[in-house]
């Protein structure tokens, strides 16, 4: 069975029709983007395996396993979670003006409003304009990703020899990760303390692979060690549910983080 037949069997849609579904339904696209990122990280680890940089790796086999288990050449194992970085925020007046100007110039939206008029508007009025647009422009989706990528000098983490310079371009709008589970751990009870079950415990994982697509339009990763993760303010035995990617502590090279 070829790939097109497999796709048709899964959803009864052509590639273009399926792309339309993702583009016009941001929430549906977000639901699958995590799995897509995991597939790209699988390809990355497979390349390390082929060149002998790691001994083996495997993906999670059930909902409550971690995303990847990588065995190094010395026989030790590392546990990795794959996460997408969050979309560029457009909550401030300058960022929202920038986004609306992008939609106007690149997609022909809100052409009835001059750029100079946008500059003079209050934040609440800019938010009204945004709320009047179709869902695919308001929420996390391709328009927001395109806008984010348009503001970058370096789009690929491999454009430079050093991670530092690539990550420096995000200093004004830091890369961040919503670092929590999508569901409680198995066996968690419904009480106040069970809320901690959404957060990762100390040493539960070793490394996070952060997919940059939401900000760069590239299915590439930077890696960070849990040794540098902040603790949750209410649950000190757990990591914070928000990670900020600091330029000196994350790298595109998995092995250097190990």
């Amino acid at each position: 069975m070829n790939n097109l037949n497999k796709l048709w069997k899964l959803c009864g849609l052509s590639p273009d029709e399926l792309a339309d579904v993702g583009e016009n339904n941001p929430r549906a696209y977000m639901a699958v983007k995590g799995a897509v990122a995991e597939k790209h990280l699988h390809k990355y680890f497979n390349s390390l395996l082929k060149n002998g940089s790691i001994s083996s790796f495997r993906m999670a086999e059930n909902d409550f396993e971690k995303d990847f288990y990588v065995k190094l050449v010395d026989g030790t194992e590392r546990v990795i979670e794959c996460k997408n970085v969050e979309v560029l925020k457009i909550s401030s007046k300058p960022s929202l003006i920038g986004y609306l100007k992008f939609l106007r110039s690149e997609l022909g939206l809100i052409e009835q409003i001059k750029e100079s008029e946008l500059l003079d508007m209050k934040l609440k009025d800019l938010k009204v304009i945004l709320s009047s647009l179709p869902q695919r422009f308001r929420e996390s989706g391709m328009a927001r990703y395109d806008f984010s990528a348009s503001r970058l000098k370096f789009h690929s983490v491999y454009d430079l020899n050093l991670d530092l310079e690539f990550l420096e371009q995000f200093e004004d709008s830091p890369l961040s990760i919503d670092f929590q589970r999508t569901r409680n751990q198995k066996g968690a009870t419904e009480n106040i303390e069970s809320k901690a079950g959404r957060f990762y415990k100390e040493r539960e994982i070793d490394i996070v692979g952060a997919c940059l697509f939401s900000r760069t339009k590239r299915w590439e990763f930077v890696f960070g060690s849990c040794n540098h993760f902040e603790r949750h303010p209410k649950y000190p035995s757990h990591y914070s549910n928000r990670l900020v990617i600091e330029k000196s502590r994350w790298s595109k090279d998995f092995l250097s983080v190990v």
Side-chain angles (χ1 to χ4, degrees), residues 20-253:
D20 286 340
V21 171
E23 187 174 27
N24 293 305
N25 295 271
R27 294 181 187 179
Y29 183 50
M30 284 186 67
V32 301
K33 195 152 67 78
V36 173
E38 288 175 15
K39 182 63 175 179
H40 283 280
L41 189 52
H42 182 282
K43 293 168 66 176
Y44 174 85
F45 286 136
N46 198 45
S47 68
L48 294 184
L49 180 64
K50 287 182 177 179
N51 65 28
S53 297
I54 59 175
S55 293
S56 64
F57 75 95
R58 71 175 180 86
M59 295 185 70
E61 296 174 354
N62 61 63
D63 285 344
F64 299 100
E65 279 197 316
K66 303 303 179 289
D67 293 331
F68 289 91
Y69 298 81
V70 175
K71 185 171 288 188
L72 307 178
V73 292
D74 65 2
T76 59
E77 186 178 71
R78 295 292 186 273
V79 180
I80 296 92
E81 282 284 80
C82 177
K83 297 291 184 183
N84 281 296
V85 299
E86 295 179 299
V87 67
L88 178 66
K89 304 291 190 297
I90 54 170
S91 53
S92 69
K93 181 176 177 178
S95 62
L96 187 47
I97 287 175
Y99 181 55
L100 293 174
K101 287 172 65 177
F102 173 82
L103 293 179
R104 187 180 187 280
S105 63
E106 299 298 321
L107 300 178
L109 299 177
I110 58 171
E111 289 185 320
Q112 72 278 12
I113 304 174
K114 297 179 181 179
E115 288 192 15
S116 58
E117 293 175 333
L118 291 174
L119 294 173
D120 293 332
M121 287 183 178
K122 295 181 179 180
L123 179 59
K124 64 178 183 179
D125 297 320
L126 294 168
K127 289 181 177 180
V128 169
I129 295 174
L130 180 66
S131 67
S132 70
L133 297 176
Q135 182 188 28
R136 66 182 183 274
F137 301 116
R138 299 193 311 268
E139 299 186 3
S140 176
M142 292 307 299
R144 297 274 297 275
Y145 306 153
D146 286 335
F147 170 61
S148 175
S150 72
R151 298 162 68 90
L152 298 179
K153 180 179 180 181
F154 307 109
H155 292 86
S156 172
V157 71
Y158 297 105
D159 287 344
L160 303 165
N161 291 326
L162 298 175
D163 303 322
L164 197 63
E165 191 175 359
F166 175 81
L167 292 176
E168 278 178 348
Q169 66 184 332
F170 298 100
E171 285 190 336
D172 292 335
S173 51
L175 295 168
S176 60
I177 297 169
D178 180 19
F179 191 53
Q180 59 183 323
R181 309 173 211 275
T182 55
R183 68 195 79 186
N184 282 331
Q185 286 183 290
K186 190 174 183 179
T189 57
E190 289 300 322
N191 56 49
I192 295 175
E193 288 304 312
S194 74
K195 293 179 181 179
R198 293 287 300 274
F199 311 133
Y200 292 94
K201 291 182 180 179
E202 182 180 9
R203 297 297 172 185
E204 186 177 349
I205 62 169
D206 299 305
I207 292 168
V208 166
C211 182
L212 301 171
F213 181 82
S214 298
R215 297 289 296 272
T216 66
K217 292 288 298 296
R218 304 291 180 95
W219 295 103
E220 297 173 348
F221 296 84
V222 289
F223 299 91
S225 168
C226 68
N227 293 331
H228 305 302
F229 296 172
E230 292 186 4
R231 297 296 191 271
H232 194 281
K234 289 184 64 176
Y235 309 103
S237 62
H238 294 69
Y239 296 118
S240 171
N241 58 312
R242 187 172 187 269
L243 293 183
V244 176
I245 295 177
E246 301 175 68
K247 63 184 180 183
S248 60
R249 292 180 170 176
W250 291 71
S251 173
K252 63 177 178 287
D253 181 10

